[in-house]
Amino acid sequence: MQDKLRQHIEKIVPLTDDEFAFVLSHFTSKKAKKRDWLIQEGKRVKHVFFVVSGLLKLVYRDELGKEFIVSFAMEDWWECDYLAYYTKTSATLSLQCLEDTEVYCLALEDYHKLCAGLQKIEHFFLEKSHRGHIGSQQRIISFLTLNAKERYEHLLKRYPALFQRVSKTLLASYLGVSRETLSRLHSPK
Amino acid sequence: MQDKLRQHIEKIVPLTDDEFAFVLSHFTSKKAKKRDWLIQEGKRVKHVFFVVSGLLKLVYRDELGKEFIVSFAMEDWWECDYLAYYTKTSATLSLQCLEDTEVYCLALEDYHKLCAGLQKIEHFFLEKSHRGHIGSQQRIISFLTLNAKERYEHLLKRYPALFQRVSKTLLASYLGVSRETLSRLHSPK
DNA sequence: CCGGGGTTGTGATCTACATCACAGATACAT
DNA sequence: ATGTATCTGTGATGTAGATCACAACCCCGG
């Protein structure tokens, strides 16, 4: 299980055994069951999570209680309500397990200590953050330029594995269409 | 003009005179006129830009030639086609001046040298990247949860200054609605 | 000072998608 | 096993917003 994290980091920065031990000492690990919450709207966000196994949804809930999926987090993903985490405010998003899930948890002060103690890891996080930013930008472009069907096909091509693991209802919510419309996209008229 | 950049960085990390001189030595500066391009689709992206003064649009153009505004960049903003920049591939986005503009330019290898030579600045970039990522995530949420009118009002509240500086046509493109619809939002029905 | 390109409003029409409503299927808990 | 909730498809209908079309405007360059 540690190997997952190490391999993940080493895709970007190589680490000695000692360095990885140092990194690992800043994390705690946690197992959660389907339907458990790792972040709850309104509460403080203590950790950023690295997903070792399982699947989660990051959701925003509007005033009417309607739920929107901001992102899915699968193996090897980092997930958090970053705004709440970095600014130490209460969560506006929630993070819930869609399957039994295993994560590493990193508290904000441990994150700072880790970066201060090992420059490489700050570089790693910078790299990760860039990629996350680029990914979000592309999702924005897909909202600007594509219709429901195109967004659906785009997602299907990019993450075929998702379709085995999450309900159409959730996919629809991620794509920003109603589940009825998504359902009709398969067999177009 | 240097002061702009220094003050901007020092909002996040304090610098000595020597450190700032070191930072500045990695940048070049450039003036561009309204309608000039800093990044052109299909070409290589040599620099990331820090906007000292002026205003730019970052645009995506679809197969039909229709233009979509990914973001505006005003004073104190960093802008780039980050994907193309970091991966040294050719641009899928374009960056064009909407006003006469003054920027600092940072080439990728200078960026790496700068980070390697001064840890503080890597920390600064990491912080900036986080904020950018958070901002994009909120824009995604606005696409998922708000209709055209709500997105418009949201933008109006957040960046009132923009409305004095850019045409409704461009705003509509940023918001993902047609300019006719945007126009009708003022005087509802 | 005149002409043309970009900007804005507004009407008429069209369409993608939402919403509501129902029914069969599947999974989950007691 | 048996009921209950959650998922999925599909019809009927409503609506936000796109598209097309035109007229008035402003601003800049020659």
PDB file of all heavy atoms in Angstrom, chain A residues 167-169 179-180 183-184 187, chain D residues 6-13:
ATOM      1  N   SER A 167     -23.004   5.046 -11.339  1.00  0.00           N
ATOM      2  CA  SER A 167     -24.335   5.036 -11.952  1.00  0.00           C
ATOM      3  C   SER A 167     -24.481   6.163 -12.964  1.00  0.00           C
ATOM      4  O   SER A 167     -23.788   7.178 -12.901  1.00  0.00           O
ATOM      5  CB  SER A 167     -25.401   5.200 -10.877  1.00  0.00           C
ATOM      6  OG  SER A 167     -25.384   6.513 -10.379  1.00  0.00           O
ATOM      7  N   LYS A 168     -25.410   5.982 -13.868  1.00  0.00           N
ATOM      8  CA  LYS A 168     -25.683   7.001 -14.876  1.00  0.00           C
ATOM      9  C   LYS A 168     -26.126   8.305 -14.225  1.00  0.00           C
ATOM     10  O   LYS A 168     -25.831   9.387 -14.716  1.00  0.00           O
ATOM     11  CB  LYS A 168     -26.784   6.524 -15.833  1.00  0.00           C
ATOM     12  CG  LYS A 168     -26.467   5.219 -16.534  1.00  0.00           C
ATOM     13  CD  LYS A 168     -25.289   5.332 -17.459  1.00  0.00           C
ATOM     14  CE  LYS A 168     -24.818   3.994 -17.993  1.00  0.00           C
ATOM     15  NZ  LYS A 168     -25.800   3.318 -18.851  1.00  0.00           N
ATOM     16  N   THR A 169     -26.850   8.152 -13.161  1.00  0.00           N
ATOM     17  CA  THR A 169     -27.312   9.327 -12.418  1.00  0.00           C
ATOM     18  C   THR A 169     -26.137  10.193 -11.998  1.00  0.00           C
ATOM     19  O   THR A 169     -26.161  11.424 -12.142  1.00  0.00           O
ATOM     20  CB  THR A 169     -28.088   8.876 -11.171  1.00  0.00           C
ATOM     21  OG1 THR A 169     -29.086   7.945 -11.569  1.00  0.00           O
ATOM     22  CG2 THR A 169     -28.725  10.053 -10.464  1.00  0.00           C
ATOM     23  N   ARG A 179     -30.435  13.162 -15.741  1.00  0.00           N
ATOM     24  CA  ARG A 179     -30.199  11.748 -16.031  1.00  0.00           C
ATOM     25  C   ARG A 179     -31.082  11.244 -17.164  1.00  0.00           C
ATOM     26  O   ARG A 179     -30.689  10.353 -17.919  1.00  0.00           O
ATOM     27  CB  ARG A 179     -30.361  10.875 -14.782  1.00  0.00           C
ATOM     28  CG  ARG A 179     -31.656  10.988 -14.030  1.00  0.00           C
ATOM     29  CD  ARG A 179     -32.023   9.693 -13.349  1.00  0.00           C
ATOM     30  NE  ARG A 179     -32.639   8.807 -14.313  1.00  0.00           N
ATOM     31  CZ  ARG A 179     -33.953   8.780 -14.555  1.00  0.00           C
ATOM     32  NH1 ARG A 179     -34.779   9.549 -13.890  1.00  0.00           N
ATOM     33  NH2 ARG A 179     -34.444   7.961 -15.461  1.00  0.00           N
ATOM     34  N   GLU A 180     -32.250  11.836 -17.333  1.00  0.00           N
ATOM     35  CA  GLU A 180     -33.110  11.440 -18.449  1.00  0.00           C
ATOM     36  C   GLU A 180     -32.449  11.745 -19.790  1.00  0.00           C
ATOM     37  O   GLU A 180     -32.442  10.913 -20.696  1.00  0.00           O
ATOM     38  CB  GLU A 180     -34.458  12.166 -18.386  1.00  0.00           C
ATOM     39  CG  GLU A 180     -35.332  11.811 -17.190  1.00  0.00           C
ATOM     40  CD  GLU A 180     -35.107  12.754 -16.027  1.00  0.00           C
ATOM     41  OE1 GLU A 180     -33.983  13.268 -15.882  1.00  0.00           O
ATOM     42  OE2 GLU A 180     -36.060  12.982 -15.252  1.00  0.00           O
ATOM     43  N   SER A 183     -29.639   9.392 -20.442  1.00  0.00           N
ATOM     44  CA  SER A 183     -30.172   8.094 -20.826  1.00  0.00           C
ATOM     45  C   SER A 183     -30.550   8.077 -22.315  1.00  0.00           C
ATOM     46  O   SER A 183     -30.325   7.094 -23.013  1.00  0.00           O
ATOM     47  CB  SER A 183     -31.375   7.771 -19.947  1.00  0.00           C
ATOM     48  OG  SER A 183     -32.090   6.688 -20.480  1.00  0.00           O
ATOM     49  N   ARG A 184     -31.108   9.155 -22.778  1.00  0.00           N
ATOM     50  CA  ARG A 184     -31.529   9.222 -24.182  1.00  0.00           C
ATOM     51  C   ARG A 184     -30.364   9.370 -25.154  1.00  0.00           C
ATOM     52  O   ARG A 184     -30.505   9.132 -26.359  1.00  0.00           O
ATOM     53  CB  ARG A 184     -32.502  10.393 -24.367  1.00  0.00           C
ATOM     54  CG  ARG A 184     -33.893  10.064 -23.882  1.00  0.00           C
ATOM     55  CD  ARG A 184     -34.868  11.204 -24.179  1.00  0.00           C
ATOM     56  NE  ARG A 184     -35.205  11.935 -22.978  1.00  0.00           N
ATOM     57  CZ  ARG A 184     -36.329  11.748 -22.288  1.00  0.00           C
ATOM     58  NH1 ARG A 184     -37.226  10.865 -22.673  1.00  0.00           N
ATOM     59  NH2 ARG A 184     -36.562  12.442 -21.204  1.00  0.00           N
ATOM     60  N   SER A 187     -29.322   5.864 -27.193  1.00  0.00           N
ATOM     61  CA  SER A 187     -30.108   5.464 -28.345  1.00  0.00           C
ATOM     62  C   SER A 187     -30.728   6.706 -28.939  1.00  0.00           C
ATOM     63  O   SER A 187     -31.851   7.047 -28.639  1.00  0.00           O
ATOM     64  CB  SER A 187     -31.241   4.553 -27.855  1.00  0.00           C
ATOM     65  OG  SER A 187     -31.855   5.153 -26.712  1.00  0.00           O
TER      66      SER A 187
ATOM     67  P    DT D   6     -32.975   5.596  -1.717  1.00  0.00           P
ATOM     68  OP1  DT D   6     -32.674   6.575  -0.673  1.00  0.00           O
ATOM     69  OP2  DT D   6     -34.014   5.909  -2.727  1.00  0.00           O
ATOM     70  O5'  DT D   6     -31.601   5.224  -2.496  1.00  0.00           O
ATOM     71  C5'  DT D   6     -31.176   3.873  -2.596  1.00  0.00           C
ATOM     72  C4'  DT D   6     -30.936   3.494  -4.043  1.00  0.00           C
ATOM     73  O4'  DT D   6     -32.044   2.716  -4.572  1.00  0.00           O
ATOM     74  C3'  DT D   6     -30.776   4.681  -5.007  1.00  0.00           C
ATOM     75  O3'  DT D   6     -29.562   4.485  -5.736  1.00  0.00           O
ATOM     76  C2'  DT D   6     -32.007   4.612  -5.908  1.00  0.00           C
ATOM     77  C1'  DT D   6     -32.268   3.112  -5.904  1.00  0.00           C
ATOM     78  N1   DT D   6     -33.645   2.681  -6.274  1.00  0.00           N
ATOM     79  C2   DT D   6     -33.792   1.648  -7.185  1.00  0.00           C
ATOM     80  O2   DT D   6     -32.842   1.076  -7.702  1.00  0.00           O
ATOM     81  N3   DT D   6     -35.102   1.320  -7.464  1.00  0.00           N
ATOM     82  C4   DT D   6     -36.248   1.907  -6.941  1.00  0.00           C
ATOM     83  O4   DT D   6     -37.356   1.508  -7.282  1.00  0.00           O
ATOM     84  C5   DT D   6     -36.014   2.970  -6.010  1.00  0.00           C
ATOM     85  C7   DT D   6     -37.191   3.678  -5.400  1.00  0.00           C
ATOM     86  C6   DT D   6     -34.749   3.308  -5.718  1.00  0.00           C
ATOM     87  P    DC D   7     -29.083   5.421  -6.946  1.00  0.00           P
ATOM     88  OP1  DC D   7     -27.599   5.452  -6.900  1.00  0.00           O
ATOM     89  OP2  DC D   7     -29.869   6.671  -6.944  1.00  0.00           O
ATOM     90  O5'  DC D   7     -29.488   4.590  -8.237  1.00  0.00           O
ATOM     91  C5'  DC D   7     -28.719   3.447  -8.574  1.00  0.00           C
ATOM     92  C4'  DC D   7     -29.373   2.787  -9.761  1.00  0.00           C
ATOM     93  O4'  DC D   7     -30.789   2.686  -9.513  1.00  0.00           O
ATOM     94  C3'  DC D   7     -29.240   3.582 -11.077  1.00  0.00           C
ATOM     95  O3'  DC D   7     -28.463   2.790 -11.978  1.00  0.00           O
ATOM     96  C2'  DC D   7     -30.681   3.784 -11.554  1.00  0.00           C
ATOM     97  C1'  DC D   7     -31.465   2.756 -10.748  1.00  0.00           C
ATOM     98  N1   DC D   7     -32.897   3.078 -10.470  1.00  0.00           N
ATOM     99  C2   DC D   7     -33.885   2.354 -11.132  1.00  0.00           C
ATOM    100  O2   DC D   7     -33.557   1.474 -11.938  1.00  0.00           O
ATOM    101  N3   DC D   7     -35.191   2.635 -10.880  1.00  0.00           N
ATOM    102  C4   DC D   7     -35.520   3.581  -9.996  1.00  0.00           C
ATOM    103  N4   DC D   7     -36.817   3.799  -9.777  1.00  0.00           N
ATOM    104  C5   DC D   7     -34.524   4.330  -9.301  1.00  0.00           C
ATOM    105  C6   DC D   7     -33.235   4.060  -9.570  1.00  0.00           C
ATOM    106  P    DT D   8     -27.911   3.454 -13.313  1.00  0.00           P
ATOM    107  OP1  DT D   8     -26.849   2.588 -13.836  1.00  0.00           O
ATOM    108  OP2  DT D   8     -27.685   4.890 -13.064  1.00  0.00           O
ATOM    109  O5'  DT D   8     -29.138   3.330 -14.305  1.00  0.00           O
ATOM    110  C5'  DT D   8     -29.425   2.049 -14.865  1.00  0.00           C
ATOM    111  C4'  DT D   8     -30.690   2.131 -15.670  1.00  0.00           C
ATOM    112  O4'  DT D   8     -31.768   2.539 -14.820  1.00  0.00           O
ATOM    113  C3'  DT D   8     -30.655   3.172 -16.791  1.00  0.00           C
ATOM    114  O3'  DT D   8     -30.491   2.457 -18.010  1.00  0.00           O
ATOM    115  C2'  DT D   8     -32.020   3.877 -16.714  1.00  0.00           C
ATOM    116  C1'  DT D   8     -32.762   3.089 -15.640  1.00  0.00           C
ATOM    117  N1   DT D   8     -33.655   3.882 -14.756  1.00  0.00           N
ATOM    118  C2   DT D   8     -34.996   3.613 -14.785  1.00  0.00           C
ATOM    119  O2   DT D   8     -35.493   2.772 -15.511  1.00  0.00           O
ATOM    120  N3   DT D   8     -35.755   4.379 -13.932  1.00  0.00           N
ATOM    121  C4   DT D   8     -35.303   5.359 -13.066  1.00  0.00           C
ATOM    122  O4   DT D   8     -36.084   5.978 -12.347  1.00  0.00           O
ATOM    123  C5   DT D   8     -33.881   5.586 -13.077  1.00  0.00           C
ATOM    124  C7   DT D   8     -33.286   6.637 -12.190  1.00  0.00           C
ATOM    125  C6   DT D   8     -33.133   4.852 -13.914  1.00  0.00           C
ATOM    126  P    DG D   9     -30.384   3.240 -19.407  1.00  0.00           P
ATOM    127  OP1  DG D   9     -29.607   2.419 -20.363  1.00  0.00           O
ATOM    128  OP2  DG D   9     -29.978   4.627 -19.120  1.00  0.00           O
ATOM    129  O5'  DG D   9     -31.897   3.254 -19.888  1.00  0.00           O
ATOM    130  C5'  DG D   9     -32.509   2.031 -20.266  1.00  0.00           C
ATOM    131  C4'  DG D   9     -33.983   2.264 -20.498  1.00  0.00           C
ATOM    132  O4'  DG D   9     -34.554   2.889 -19.334  1.00  0.00           O
ATOM    133  C3'  DG D   9     -34.291   3.185 -21.674  1.00  0.00           C
ATOM    134  O3'  DG D   9     -35.114   2.450 -22.579  1.00  0.00           O
ATOM    135  C2'  DG D   9     -35.065   4.360 -21.059  1.00  0.00           C
ATOM    136  C1'  DG D   9     -35.563   3.789 -19.755  1.00  0.00           C
ATOM    137  N9   DG D   9     -35.733   4.756 -18.663  1.00  0.00           N
ATOM    138  C8   DG D   9     -34.748   5.481 -18.041  1.00  0.00           C
ATOM    139  N7   DG D   9     -35.197   6.246 -17.079  1.00  0.00           N
ATOM    140  C5   DG D   9     -36.563   5.998 -17.057  1.00  0.00           C
ATOM    141  C6   DG D   9     -37.584   6.544 -16.219  1.00  0.00           C
ATOM    142  O6   DG D   9     -37.469   7.367 -15.309  1.00  0.00           O
ATOM    143  N1   DG D   9     -38.836   6.009 -16.536  1.00  0.00           N
ATOM    144  C2   DG D   9     -39.083   5.083 -17.521  1.00  0.00           C
ATOM    145  N2   DG D   9     -40.345   4.697 -17.685  1.00  0.00           N
ATOM    146  N3   DG D   9     -38.134   4.572 -18.305  1.00  0.00           N
ATOM    147  C4   DG D   9     -36.907   5.080 -18.018  1.00  0.00           C
ATOM    148  P    DT D  10     -35.342   2.941 -24.059  1.00  0.00           P
ATOM    149  OP1  DT D  10     -35.663   1.752 -24.864  1.00  0.00           O
ATOM    150  OP2  DT D  10     -34.241   3.841 -24.442  1.00  0.00           O
ATOM    151  O5'  DT D  10     -36.664   3.827 -23.904  1.00  0.00           O
ATOM    152  C5'  DT D  10     -37.814   3.232 -23.329  1.00  0.00           C
ATOM    153  C4'  DT D  10     -38.889   4.274 -23.160  1.00  0.00           C
ATOM    154  O4'  DT D  10     -38.712   4.980 -21.891  1.00  0.00           O
ATOM    155  C3'  DT D  10     -38.918   5.374 -24.234  1.00  0.00           C
ATOM    156  O3'  DT D  10     -40.240   5.479 -24.693  1.00  0.00           O
ATOM    157  C2'  DT D  10     -38.497   6.627 -23.490  1.00  0.00           C
ATOM    158  C1'  DT D  10     -39.074   6.313 -22.111  1.00  0.00           C
ATOM    159  N1   DT D  10     -38.542   7.125 -20.996  1.00  0.00           N
ATOM    160  C2   DT D  10     -39.433   7.614 -20.071  1.00  0.00           C
ATOM    161  O2   DT D  10     -40.633   7.405 -20.117  1.00  0.00           O
ATOM    162  N3   DT D  10     -38.857   8.362 -19.071  1.00  0.00           N
ATOM    163  C4   DT D  10     -37.512   8.666 -18.922  1.00  0.00           C
ATOM    164  O4   DT D  10     -37.132   9.341 -17.987  1.00  0.00           O
ATOM    165  C5   DT D  10     -36.643   8.127 -19.933  1.00  0.00           C
ATOM    166  C7   DT D  10     -35.177   8.393 -19.866  1.00  0.00           C
ATOM    167  C6   DT D  10     -37.191   7.397 -20.907  1.00  0.00           C
ATOM    168  P    DG D  11     -40.541   6.145 -26.138  1.00  0.00           P
ATOM    169  OP1  DG D  11     -41.023   5.089 -27.044  1.00  0.00           O
ATOM    170  OP2  DG D  11     -39.409   7.011 -26.537  1.00  0.00           O
ATOM    171  O5'  DG D  11     -41.784   7.087 -25.783  1.00  0.00           O
ATOM    172  C5'  DG D  11     -42.999   6.499 -25.346  1.00  0.00           C
ATOM    173  C4'  DG D  11     -43.793   7.508 -24.558  1.00  0.00           C
ATOM    174  O4'  DG D  11     -43.023   7.905 -23.405  1.00  0.00           O
ATOM    175  C3'  DG D  11     -44.094   8.791 -25.342  1.00  0.00           C
ATOM    176  O3'  DG D  11     -45.507   9.017 -25.350  1.00  0.00           O
ATOM    177  C2'  DG D  11     -43.362   9.886 -24.585  1.00  0.00           C
ATOM    178  C1'  DG D  11     -43.201   9.290 -23.193  1.00  0.00           C
ATOM    179  N9   DG D  11     -42.029   9.793 -22.488  1.00  0.00           N
ATOM    180  C8   DG D  11     -40.709   9.585 -22.811  1.00  0.00           C
ATOM    181  N7   DG D  11     -39.875  10.152 -21.973  1.00  0.00           N
ATOM    182  C5   DG D  11     -40.690  10.777 -21.051  1.00  0.00           C
ATOM    183  C6   DG D  11     -40.359  11.555 -19.901  1.00  0.00           C
ATOM    184  O6   DG D  11     -39.247  11.846 -19.479  1.00  0.00           O
ATOM    185  N1   DG D  11     -41.500  12.001 -19.241  1.00  0.00           N
ATOM    186  C2   DG D  11     -42.795  11.735 -19.630  1.00  0.00           C
ATOM    187  N2   DG D  11     -43.748  12.257 -18.878  1.00  0.00           N
ATOM    188  N3   DG D  11     -43.119  11.010 -20.685  1.00  0.00           N
ATOM    189  C4   DG D  11     -42.018  10.568 -21.348  1.00  0.00           C
ATOM    190  P    DA D  12     -46.113  10.196 -26.199  1.00  0.00           P
ATOM    191  OP1  DA D  12     -47.482   9.769 -26.577  1.00  0.00           O
ATOM    192  OP2  DA D  12     -45.146  10.612 -27.239  1.00  0.00           O
ATOM    193  O5'  DA D  12     -46.218  11.369 -25.105  1.00  0.00           O
ATOM    194  C5'  DA D  12     -46.824  11.115 -23.838  1.00  0.00           C
ATOM    195  C4'  DA D  12     -47.084  12.441 -23.141  1.00  0.00           C
ATOM    196  O4'  DA D  12     -45.889  12.826 -22.401  1.00  0.00           O
ATOM    197  C3'  DA D  12     -47.391  13.608 -24.084  1.00  0.00           C
ATOM    198  O3'  DA D  12     -48.331  14.461 -23.438  1.00  0.00           O
ATOM    199  C2'  DA D  12     -46.028  14.245 -24.297  1.00  0.00           C
ATOM    200  C1'  DA D  12     -45.377  14.059 -22.916  1.00  0.00           C
ATOM    201  N9   DA D  12     -43.914  13.938 -22.934  1.00  0.00           N
ATOM    202  C8   DA D  12     -43.135  13.320 -23.879  1.00  0.00           C
ATOM    203  N7   DA D  12     -41.846  13.358 -23.609  1.00  0.00           N
ATOM    204  C5   DA D  12     -41.775  14.047 -22.407  1.00  0.00           C
ATOM    205  C6   DA D  12     -40.702  14.419 -21.599  1.00  0.00           C
ATOM    206  N6   DA D  12     -39.422  14.136 -21.870  1.00  0.00           N
ATOM    207  N1   DA D  12     -40.967  15.111 -20.465  1.00  0.00           N
ATOM    208  C2   DA D  12     -42.251  15.390 -20.175  1.00  0.00           C
ATOM    209  N3   DA D  12     -43.353  15.082 -20.863  1.00  0.00           N
ATOM    210  C4   DA D  12     -43.044  14.410 -21.976  1.00  0.00           C
ATOM    211  P    DT D  13     -48.859  15.802 -24.181  1.00  0.00           P
ATOM    212  OP1  DT D  13     -50.237  16.020 -23.690  1.00  0.00           O
ATOM    213  OP2  DT D  13     -48.542  15.720 -25.631  1.00  0.00           O
ATOM    214  O5'  DT D  13     -47.947  16.942 -23.522  1.00  0.00           O
ATOM    215  C5'  DT D  13     -47.970  17.101 -22.098  1.00  0.00           C
ATOM    216  C4'  DT D  13     -46.918  18.102 -21.704  1.00  0.00           C
ATOM    217  O4'  DT D  13     -45.594  17.563 -21.952  1.00  0.00           O
ATOM    218  C3'  DT D  13     -46.972  19.439 -22.450  1.00  0.00           C
ATOM    219  O3'  DT D  13     -47.177  20.452 -21.479  1.00  0.00           O
ATOM    220  C2'  DT D  13     -45.621  19.527 -23.156  1.00  0.00           C
ATOM    221  C1'  DT D  13     -44.758  18.646 -22.263  1.00  0.00           C
ATOM    222  N1   DT D  13     -43.519  18.115 -22.877  1.00  0.00           N
ATOM    223  C2   DT D  13     -42.341  18.310 -22.203  1.00  0.00           C
ATOM    224  O2   DT D  13     -42.267  18.894 -21.143  1.00  0.00           O
ATOM    225  N3   DT D  13     -41.229  17.798 -22.816  1.00  0.00           N
ATOM    226  C4   DT D  13     -41.174  17.116 -24.019  1.00  0.00           C
ATOM    227  O4   DT D  13     -40.119  16.704 -24.464  1.00  0.00           O
ATOM    228  C5   DT D  13     -42.453  16.942 -24.697  1.00  0.00           C
ATOM    229  C7   DT D  13     -42.509  16.232 -26.015  1.00  0.00           C
ATOM    230  C6   DT D  13     -43.540  17.445 -24.092  1.00  0.00           C
TER     231       DT D  13
END
